[in-house]
Amino acid sequence: MKRTASLFFAAMVCTVASMTIVSLTTSVTKSDASDNAEPDQTDWKQGALFQPAGKMISSVQNQGFASETITPTKCFEVEIRRPGGPPRVELAGADPQGRAGSVACSTCHSVRKPNVDNRTAATLDEFHQGLQFNHGTIACYSCHHSQNTDSLRMADGTQIDFADVMTLCSQCHSKQAESFAHGAHGGMNGFWDLSRGPQTKNNCIDCHDPHAPAFPKMIVDFKPRDRFNEPVVHDHGETTHE
Amino acid sequence: MTANKPSLPIVENFSRRAAVKGGFATLGAASFVAAISPLRHAAQNSSAGEFMQNHYTELTPEQKSDVLARLESEAKENYGADVTIGDDRPIPGTKFVYAINLSVCNGNGKCVEACHKENNHDRATNQSYIRVLEMPVGTMDMEQGSTTYTGIVPKDGKFYLPVQCQQCDEPPCVDVCPVKATWKEEDGIVVVDYNWCIGCRYCEAACPYHARRFNWKKPEVPAEEINPDQSYLSNRIRPVGVVEKCTYCLHRTRRGKLPACLEACPTGARVFGNILDKDSNIRWILENKRVYILKEELGTKPAFFYYFD
Ligand code: SF4
Ligand code: SF4
């Protein structure tokens, strides 16, 4: 028994000794062969270089970022997309030559008396059939100009172009307009850095139908198939994750 | 010497070799060999040049351009795509910050898809760096969220919380990496050197936001779908057996462009910018909105904010 134990011990010692020798020889040959390899510490020192930078950044943030600020030169513009102009209304029928056509709002409205009281789609019995209207209790002529139907009407009665629709919306939705002005409302594309390139922003009616402005419901059509997506079965052998 | 060149080329690299030795010391030879056998398979898929390569931060400019050229030709060889791999460095005076308006986000997941395409993720798994969690109203505890929702959104009584790498100022993922294959850069982006990563997945376990992904298999992307505008630390196609994560699209943002997920967002919920620029959008949000960060109590100091308006 004692003999077996000492044999076992000797074997252990030999293994440890040979492992040490192997590892020593590898490192010797390594340093012989290394032309471009730098000392081991360099790795870690290089890595450590990033630490102070990270620390500095977080301290900037901690100080409430008032002290260290920059104002970069901005040579490009933020362009806000605008509607082309007054809308054209597609005609239901075709002319005798079979051509479809579209007309301006004023084509009909210049010869018809405006009903300034109308505030629902249900009472539009001749035209604009099927119009969905769900925008509070405002009347058509709150926003459409009753005298010049190819333009819009501000709350104080001033006439503005369709292209300036955002000015109109902002009268009531000033909170959203303020956020929009600071990039916190509405989608955008292009460059964050205006010294390198321009940026394009949506306007209100790119996303909101002015007659029914609630953002539409959407359907989810892309799902990653990752382990958080499949229920983990805790019964061994049937686990389906990853 | 050439005759008994080690079969596992990673031992040629110094600190990785240290990690391998450490592994021997703690595990014992046999179990260690078993434990790293997936790595040996990974090793067989890689060129010798890759394993001779130094840590990214130690490459000289000449070595760097050699590496980039090699990776470009590997992309041609393995994927049949002509790509350009840049070496985009931080822009001095920038610290990138992201914010999401949770009142507006409706969980449609277009950002998830945009990330998938932009970053050349594996097509079969629909991999993406972004997860959108469907959350019960009244909590910011992301562990209560579910990613499996489908159909029409938004649903009543829910809000939607997109989660991706928060580019923490105190990143636990960086602290645990045994070989310094992941680190934080001057503009705040936490990056991974995919050629230095040994795939131990410590960082994946350390990240409280589940932001890191492991490449279980070689990413499959058809040549015509590959985004050819790539960067070494960003969206170049990652090898199998390494960990990857959101880089705030540094191949775009360090060239001044907005991240792909932001551009794809149809609700305009996403805001991105340079917090050191006092006129930036992001700065206005932090000063004027009530912003939240996820798991604040952990002290990770995310560079990613959420707000309601
Ligand atoms: S979110 Fe996770 S992966 Fe990103 S920096 Fe923080 S700890 Fe690291
Ligand atoms: S898996 Fe993560 S922790 Fe491990 S080597 Fe790669 S980057 Fe470092």
Side-chain angles (χ1 to χ4, degrees):
Chain A
M1 190 63 214
K2 213 173 170 188
R3 202 183 149 85
T4 329
S6 54
L7 258 178
F8 184 67
F9 181 67
M12 286 277 289
V13 169
C14 285
T15 319
V16 169
S18 58
M19 277 182 82
T20 320
I21 288 165
V22 165
S23 78
L24 275 178
T25 29
T26 4
S27 37
V28 169
T29 41
K30 170 73 184 184
S31 47
D32 283 349
S34 62
D35 312 316
N36 59 347
E38 278 138 306
D40 206 355
Q41 285 127 328
T42 326
D43 274 342
W44 305 96
K45 222 173 34 221
Q46 280 281 1
L49 271 182
F50 290 98
Q51 286 308 106
K55 286 277 168 1
M56 184 199 75
I57 287 161
S58 56
S59 71
V60 169
Q61 211 188 10
N62 289 344
Q63 288 158 15
F65 40 75
S67 49
E68 291 180 48
T69 52
I70 48 152
T71 315
T73 41
K74 293 173 181 165
C75 351
F76 290 90
E77 298 287 311
V78 176
E79 190 212 334
I80 300 169
R81 287 155 45 93
R82 282 149 60 102
R88 307 277 299 179
V89 179
E90 296 296 327
L91 294 176
D95 69 4
Q97 280 74 41
R99 289 171 301 198
S102 67
V103 293
C105 306
S106 56
T107 307
C108 301
H109 282 282
S110 55
V111 295
R112 297 173 72 92
K113 197 172 169 296
N115 174 6
V116 291
D117 294 332
N118 191 53
R119 31 186 93 230
T120 139
T123 44
L124 295 170
D125 48 7
E126 262 189 287
F127 288 98
H128 304 300
Q129 308 267 300
L131 175 80
Q132 295 293 317
F133 185 79
N134 188 7
H135 194 166
T137 54
I138 51 177
C140 304
Y141 290 110
S142 301
C143 300
H144 291 279
H145 201 277
S146 59
Q147 304 310 312
N148 182 352
T149 45
D150 289 331
S151 39
L152 296 169
R153 175 190 182 276
M154 297 283 281
D156 63 1
T158 8
Q159 183 179 323
I160 60 160
D161 286 343
F162 271 91
D164 296 325
V165 61
M166 287 195 59
T167 318
L168 180 92
C169 306
S170 305
Q171 300 175 107
C172 296
H173 305 286
S174 62
K175 262 282 180 242
Q176 284 81 353
E178 187 195 25
S179 289
F180 180 91
H182 292 100
H185 186 109
M188 62 195 93
N189 272 272
F191 288 76
W192 66 266
D193 182 353
L194 293 176
S195 67
R196 290 167 191 247
Q199 193 184 100
T200 313
K201 284 167 84 168
N202 293 334
N203 78 46
C204 309
I205 66 167
D206 284 329
C207 303
H208 301 282
D209 176 346
H211 296 127
F215 196 84
K217 295 256 183 185
M218 293 179 72
I219 293 178
V220 187
D221 59 1
F222 183 91
K223 278 278 164 195
R225 282 185 279 283
D226 70 6
R227 64 202 165 105
F228 289 89
N229 269 355
E230 273 154 46
V232 178
V233 182
H234 286 288
D235 184 9
H236 289 285
E238 267 184 63
T239 317
T240 51
H241 65 123
E242 250 121 38
Chain B
M1 182 61 214
T2 36
N4 57 7
K5 227 179 160 42
S7 66
L8 244 188
I10 52 167
V11 295
E12 287 297 294
N13 275 325
F14 231 108
S15 59
R16 280 204 276 197
R17 197 169 55 137
V20 170
K21 269 200 220 157
F24 268 108
T26 48
L27 286 176
S31 58
F32 184 67
V33 167
I36 62 165
S37 76
L39 282 178
R40 287 177 55 196
H41 289 293
Q44 280 153 15
N45 293 333
S46 313
S47 64
E50 183 183 336
F51 276 107
M52 296 302 288
Q53 185 185 319
N54 267 341
H55 191 282
Y56 170 80
T57 55
E58 292 185 357
L59 295 173
T60 64
E62 301 79 56
Q63 287 172 329
K64 239 181 209 175
S65 56
D66 287 351
V67 166
L68 297 178
R70 190 192 78 226
L71 291 169
E72 284 170 1
S73 69
E74 280 176 11
K76 182 75 187 164
E77 199 178 303
N78 299 333
Y79 290 90
D82 293 301
V83 306
T84 51
I85 303 180
D87 174 38
D88 295 283
R89 301 304 305 143
I91 305 170
T94 54
K95 153 93 169 140
F96 289 132
V97 165
Y98 219 128
I100 295 187
N101 185 345
L102 297 179
S103 309
V104 167
C105 175
N106 65 4
N108 65 72
K110 292 280 181 239
C111 51
V112 181
E113 184 175 9
C115 173
H116 174 76
K117 292 184 175 150
E118 179 72 27
N119 289 302
N120 296 312
H121 283 288
D122 179 50
R123 288 299 181 255
T125 50
N126 277 7
Q127 187 61 276
S128 174
Y129 295 142
I130 307 174
R131 278 191 195 97
V132 183
L133 304 179
E134 185 175 70
M135 300 279 293
V137 164
T139 176
M140 282 294 281
D141 174 13
M142 63 178 276
E143 305 299 332
Q144 293 190 36
S146 141
T147 60
T148 53
Y149 68 92
T150 50
I152 296 174
V153 288
K155 299 197 191 332
D156 291 340
K158 305 285 186 192
F159 75 99
Y160 296 85
L161 181 70
V163 182
Q164 62 210 76
C165 175
Q166 315 272 306
Q167 317 294 355
C168 308
D169 280 349
E170 299 287 347
C173 57
V174 168
D175 294 343
V176 298
C177 180
V179 295
K180 294 260 185 284
T182 183
W183 66 93
K184 189 173 178 71
E185 300 220 300
E186 290 86 337
D187 55 3
I189 300 178
V190 173
V191 294
V192 181
D193 181 350
Y194 313 115
N195 285 52
W196 199 257
C197 172
I198 58 171
C200 67
R201 303 176 67 204
Y202 284 5
C203 55
E204 194 188 358
C207 170
Y209 306 97
H210 313 299
R212 289 182 171 242
R213 308 279 184 279
F214 184 69
N215 280 284
W216 289 97
K217 59 189 259 289
K218 177 178 177 242
E220 303 286 353
V221 192
E224 67 280 7
E225 287 180 25
I226 287 178
N227 173 7
D229 299 325
Q230 304 182 356
S231 191
Y232 180 90
L233 293 172
S234 182
N235 63 337
R236 68 180 167 102
I237 302 179
R238 281 76 61 192
V240 68
V242 303
V243 159
E244 58 185 32
K245 62 181 279 298
C246 164
T247 61
Y248 279 177
C249 278
L250 66 80
H251 56 285
R252 299 171 60 96
T253 51
R254 285 184 182 169
R255 299 173 196 173
K257 288 161 109 188
L258 290 161
C261 48
L262 184 147
E263 290 202 337
C265 178
T267 66
R270 291 174 167 262
V271 188
F272 178 83
N274 175 14
I275 202 180
L276 301 182
D277 172 6
K278 66 177 170 39
D279 299 325
S280 64
N281 294 336
I282 202 83
R283 193 67 171 260
W284 183 84
I285 288 170
L286 295 186
E287 284 162 4
N288 291 279
K289 304 278 183 186
R290 179 196 290 235
V291 298
Y292 298 80
I293 56 175
L294 291 183
K295 303 195 181 184
E296 183 177 10
E297 67 283 5
L298 299 181
T300 49
K301 300 207 182 114
F304 205 107
F305 298 89
Y306 298 92
Y307 65 101
F308 294 91
D309 64 10

